[in-house]
Amino acid sequence: MAVKLKIKKGDTVKIIAGDDKGKTGEVIKVMPKEMKVLVKGCKIAKKAVKPDQEKNPDGGFINKEMPIDISNVAKVEGA
């Protein structure tokens, strides 16, 4: 059974708990099965990337948004 969430892609949300508390950002992706959301510019992690021919021939590190639990974000009204 799918869970109905009040937050959807494109909404502006405020982080209410965790290291990025107080930041606001746009929702990039909603994952209802895991009850998590990806917020643009929040909870950034540095990920090691192996070299490949197309996207990243040198490899190295990239900054990537990590999922945040939906209970730690609040929808910003009027945005």
Side-chain angles (χ1 to χ4, degrees):
M1 185 173 108
V3 179
K4 178 81 170 135
L5 302 175
K6 290 178 170 43
I7 296 171
K8 59 184 185 279
K9 183 179 176 180
D11 285 349
T12 303
V13 294
K14 183 176 184 177
I15 311 297
I16 57 173
D19 292 340
D20 291 324
K21 184 177 180 178
K23 287 187 183 179
T24 56
E26 183 184 342
V27 175
I28 302 170
K29 185 178 180 181
V30 179
M31 296 171 265
K33 284 186 181 176
E34 294 90 26
M35 297 291 285
K36 294 185 183 278
V37 291
L38 282 179
V39 181
K40 189 178 214 173
C42 296
K43 197 171 179 192
I44 302 287
K46 194 170 245 184
K47 302 290 273 183
V49 182
K50 287 185 177 179
D52 64 352
Q53 287 184 341
E54 296 91 37
K55 294 180 185 174
N56 199 348
D58 298 327
F61 295 95
I62 59 166
N63 292 326
K64 183 177 179 183
E65 286 97 357
M66 299 303 289
I68 301 171
D69 198 88
I70 202 139
S71 66
N72 295 335
V73 297
K75 192 172 182 180
V76 177
E77 296 300 323

